[in-house]
Amino acid sequence: MKKRRLIIIMLLMTIVLTGCWNRRELNELAIAVGFGVDKDGEQYRFSVQVVDPGEVAANKGGTSGRTPVTMYHMSAPTIFEALRKMTTVSPRKIYNSHLRILVIGEEVAKDGLGEVLDFVSRDQEMRTDFYIVVAREGHTAEEALKILTPIEKIPANNLFHSLAASAKAWAPSTTVTLDQLIADLVSEGKQPVLTGLRINGNAQIGQTNSNLEKIDNAATLQYTGLAVFKEDKLIGWLNQNDSIGYNFILNNIKSTVGDLACPGGGKMVIEVIRSDTKVKGFVEKGKPRIEVRSRIEANVGEMACHLDLTKTNNIAEIEKIASKRVQDLMNQTVSKVQKQYKVDIFGFGEAIHRANATAWKAWKKDWDAQFAKLPVDYKVEVKIRRLGTVSNSFLQEMNKE
């Protein structure tokens, strides 16, 4: 009796333990790491950077001379159609869960990101931790994804890690994931921005293995500037200084460096090690106002001027100069966006909404018009924490007569 009961239980267990019905083996998949979206007339030209497993295997001995990735591209009225159309040239179905970077062509960005983002956000295989950037200066997303990169064998991984490192150590860059971009698009008080990507050098040579055979690569990929959007359409660009000001206001600065003019001539460089910015909204006498408060800690990174850093009054002077420099960057960025683009990329509308929800209801429909004339007050405080391993530079000793 017990044996019969055990057999029945085992038979029942086999019904629920049948394995993964929708499993897919690795040798059946083409793992996509980079997407590129461009315009091809009235259609989309969709490009996919796919890993060649045999060329990136850790235990691979020798080399076949093949590139570590391959590119598939197709044109179709929609991106999903273009992706499925790739099965006519790819021996494996494209697998999207390991996507690292989505590069959008400038023409697509000007026409609108809506259809592109609907596809990548709707696909159940897609994760949302990849970065989104815009190809600029006449280069297409497809061209950018074709550039072979040193150190990182897989160009899409190079783009991902380069942007992450740049956002942490260099103020003009910022990382934007799918969730963040969609949140900005649907927000009533903030418009989105994306980091720009350009190709330096010879793009044709950059697509071949010869790009990796010299110390100085023929073509490199570089992040530069921030793309300004009104809803889902690209309307302009911020330059390097504007991008720094933007990231200070948005509290995106983790670390960066910047040069300052010394009081007696020459330059010095400070390294920002911490930055904390708070944006507050106020409604006074029926009008909105914004206050930006920023507290920054920095180290002295380089001295190319005659300034005695052993004197506390000189340190205080440096802090004053640095504070004004950051404040000017913020002010210039906001003024440019108010006059030239007239869209709130800083989230000032969200700050006003938090401060006075009732007043916000009356302004939100034409917030861009309100933003263009919105008064913004700044208060920046910079504190110098360390001078490095030396106080005064040995250059001062060399220049003594």
Side-chain angles (χ1 to χ4, degrees):
M1 186 70 180
K2 289 183 178 179
K3 186 180 292 186
R4 185 181 298 173
R5 187 179 299 170
L6 181 62
I7 293 172
I8 293 172
I9 291 173
M10 291 178 65
L11 288 172
L12 290 173
M13 288 179 65
T14 59
I15 297 174
V16 296
L17 300 176
T18 54
C20 297
W21 64 272
N22 63 342
R23 76 186 187 281
R24 282 171 291 180
E25 303 296 336
L26 282 175
N27 60 0
E28 298 173 353
L29 301 174
I31 299 175
V33 287
F35 282 173
V37 185
D38 295 299
K39 278 289 186 180
D40 185 8
E42 295 299 316
Q43 296 186 325
Y44 287 108
R45 184 169 176 81
F46 189 49
S47 306
V48 180
Q49 186 182 109
V50 175
V51 176
D52 183 342
E55 291 301 304
V56 297
N59 60 350
K60 179 179 169 59
T63 178
S64 67
R66 299 201 310 262
T67 58
V69 292
T70 189
M71 178 82 78
Y72 295 113
H73 42 78
M74 282 289 170
S75 295
T78 65
I79 297 172
F80 203 2
E81 287 177 286
L83 181 62
R84 286 299 177 90
K85 196 175 177 181
M86 287 178 188
T87 57
T88 61
V89 292
S90 171
R92 304 175 182 181
K93 185 181 178 183
I94 307 296
Y95 184 62
N96 304 326
S97 291
H98 293 281
L99 188 69
R100 298 273 77 187
I101 197 83
L102 168 59
V103 185
I104 297 171
E106 198 164 358
E107 286 187 43
V108 175
K110 288 178 179 178
D111 286 348
L113 305 178
E115 293 182 12
V116 178
L117 298 181
D118 180 80
F119 163 70
V120 294
S121 62
R122 193 177 296 275
D123 190 339
Q124 69 273 13
E125 288 185 349
M126 301 279 290
R127 295 187 300 203
T128 60
D129 58 349
F130 57 90
Y131 295 145
I132 305 173
V133 298
V134 178
R136 60 178 305 188
E137 297 183 6
H139 296 292
T140 64
E142 181 181 339
E143 288 174 325
L145 288 175
K146 284 182 178 179
I147 301 299
L148 295 177
T149 56
I151 302 180
E152 287 283 354
K153 283 186 176 182
I154 301 172
N157 283 348
N158 180 88
L159 287 170
F160 179 88
H161 293 303
S162 177
L163 184 55
S166 181
K168 289 180 181 178
W170 183 238
S173 304
T174 189
T175 57
V176 179
T177 60
L178 178 63
D179 286 343
Q180 182 181 346
L181 179 56
I182 292 176
D184 287 346
L185 284 169
V186 299
S187 171
E188 294 180 331
K190 186 177 185 298
Q191 300 286 356
V193 301
L194 292 174
T195 298
L197 175 66
R198 74 180 179 198
I199 301 173
N200 294 326
N202 191 319
Q204 295 298 320
I205 299 177
Q207 299 173 18
T208 65
N209 273 328
S210 60
N211 193 48
L212 309 177
E213 294 172 354
K214 295 182 180 180
I215 294 176
D216 191 7
N217 306 109
T220 56
L221 296 168
Q222 181 183 6
Y223 290 113
T224 175
L226 295 177
V228 178
F229 286 81
K230 182 174 184 179
E231 296 179 347
D232 68 333
K233 293 180 174 60
L234 172 66
I235 60 173
W237 292 89
L238 299 182
N239 61 29
Q240 178 173 296
N241 285 337
D242 298 332
S243 301
I244 295 172
Y246 168 85
N247 281 321
F248 267 115
I249 293 172
L250 270 287
N251 200 29
N252 291 335
I253 304 294
K254 297 175 178 65
S255 178
T256 189
V257 298
D259 64 275
L260 303 173
C262 294
K267 288 186 177 181
M268 66 177 300
V269 177
I270 65 168
E271 175 195 15
V272 174
I273 57 173
R274 271 178 289 277
S275 177
D276 182 32
T277 301
K278 290 181 172 59
V279 176
K280 291 186 177 181
F282 299 89
V283 178
E284 298 171 348
K285 296 181 180 180
K287 294 183 178 181
R289 180 178 69 85
I290 291 292
E291 186 175 273
V292 179
R293 291 177 175 267
S294 185
R295 181 177 175 81
I296 299 165
E297 296 181 26
N299 299 332
V300 174
E302 186 177 341
M303 285 289 295
C305 59
H306 302 291
L307 195 66
D308 189 352
L309 296 182
T310 61
K311 296 181 178 179
T312 56
N313 60 321
N314 286 339
I315 299 295
E317 183 67 19
I318 293 171
E319 292 174 342
K320 183 179 178 181
I321 294 170
S323 298
K324 187 177 186 307
R325 171 67 171 158
V326 174
Q327 182 172 317
D328 288 344
L329 285 170
M330 291 180 178
N331 185 36
Q332 290 168 12
T333 304
V334 172
S335 296
K336 176 178 179 177
V337 175
Q338 285 180 320
K339 294 175 183 177
Q340 187 170 342
Y341 300 127
K342 297 179 174 61
V343 291
D344 182 3
I345 61 175
F346 307 100
F348 291 160
E350 293 177 344
I352 296 296
H353 187 193
R354 291 192 297 268
N356 192 319
T358 303
W360 171 250
K361 288 181 181 179
W363 293 325
K364 65 180 182 179
K365 290 183 179 180
D366 63 339
W367 176 245
D368 287 342
Q370 293 287 339
F371 167 76
K373 56 185 179 181
L374 182 69
V376 183
D377 300 321
Y378 307 90
K379 185 176 181 181
V380 180
E381 182 184 8
V382 175
K383 290 293 181 183
I384 300 297
R385 295 305 184 196
R386 297 179 183 85
L387 304 179
T389 57
V390 295
S391 53
N392 290 326
S393 174
F394 69 90
L395 297 174
Q396 295 185 25
E397 296 295 326
M398 291 175 57
N399 292 328
K400 281 185 177 178
E401 295 183 357

